[in-house]
Amino acid sequence: MNRFVQEAKVAAEDVPRITAAVTAVVREHGSPGHLETALEQLPHEIRALLLQSTA
């Protein structure tokens, strides 16, 4: 989470809400598999945060 906070420049308490919103928008507007393809390009820590928000 620290890396997300530092690189995205957001407060730690906002991370769960932001990651949930990001993944929801990508899933809604992207083609099937788009989110997974995008996630493969991200650092492991950020990818884990985004996947956690979809659980």
Side-chain angles (χ1 to χ4, degrees), residues 22-36 39 51 54:
V22 168
T23 54
V25 167
V26 173
R27 281 203 192 277
E28 183 176 330
H29 296 285
S31 60
H34 185 91
L35 178 61
E36 290 72 20
L39 289 174
L51 288 174
T54 63

Side-chain angles (χ1 to χ4, degrees), residues 8-51:
K9 297 182 181 12
V10 298
E13 61 269 9
D14 292 334
V15 170
R17 180 181 53 81
I18 291 169
T19 56
V22 168
T23 54
V25 167
V26 173
R27 281 203 192 277
E28 183 176 330
H29 296 285
S31 60
H34 185 91
L35 178 61
E36 290 72 20
T37 300
L39 289 174
E40 291 174 2
Q41 306 305 311
L42 297 175
H44 176 72
E45 182 181 345
I46 293 175
R47 179 176 44 233
L49 280 171
L50 292 169
L51 288 174

